Amino acid sequence: MIKEQGEDAECAAWIYTKEDIHVKDEDGEVDYDNVIEDPALLARIFDDVGNIDYIYQVIQESVDEVTEEKLMSYQQECV
């Protein structure tokens, strides 16, 4: 992508790390003290999340919506 679009191409990224993985307690509250440290389990979690098409669908829909809004606004500014 860098070769195709250039080193200075605009981009956006969503990054999650193991610090974003939280276990909930019996009351359904996030237990910030219960941290998952097992590398194999973390790899399985992120592999499953990375294979959820819904995430990519929502991101693309958001990009499309904002693109349309900003393009319309930009065109109105140019008139």
Side-chain angles (χ1 to χ4, degrees):
M1 289 180 80
I2 293 172
K3 287 181 183 179
E4 180 182 312
Q5 298 181 18
E7 292 182 15
D8 296 327
E10 300 291 337
C11 70
W14 286 263
I15 298 174
Y16 289 86
T17 67
K18 68 180 185 176
E19 282 78 26
D20 298 303
I21 297 175
H22 303 290
V23 178
K24 294 185 179 180
D25 63 18
E26 303 84 31
D27 299 323
E29 300 295 323
V30 175
D31 181 0
Y32 292 101
D33 295 326
N34 190 357
V35 179
I36 296 174
E37 296 289 343
D38 183 290
L41 179 54
L42 290 167
R44 290 172 61 182
I45 291 168
F46 282 120
D47 184 55
D48 282 355
V49 170
N51 289 316
I52 297 173
D53 290 336
Y54 177 72
I55 293 170
Y56 302 107
Q57 177 184 345
V58 171
I59 291 170
Q60 187 61 55
E61 288 172 357
S62 298
V63 169
D64 293 344
E65 182 179 327
V66 172
T67 300
E68 187 174 329
E69 289 173 4
K70 295 302 178 187
L71 180 59
M72 290 176 64
S73 175
Y74 179 74
Q75 288 173 338
Q76 289 175 353
E77 291 173 9
C78 291
V79 174

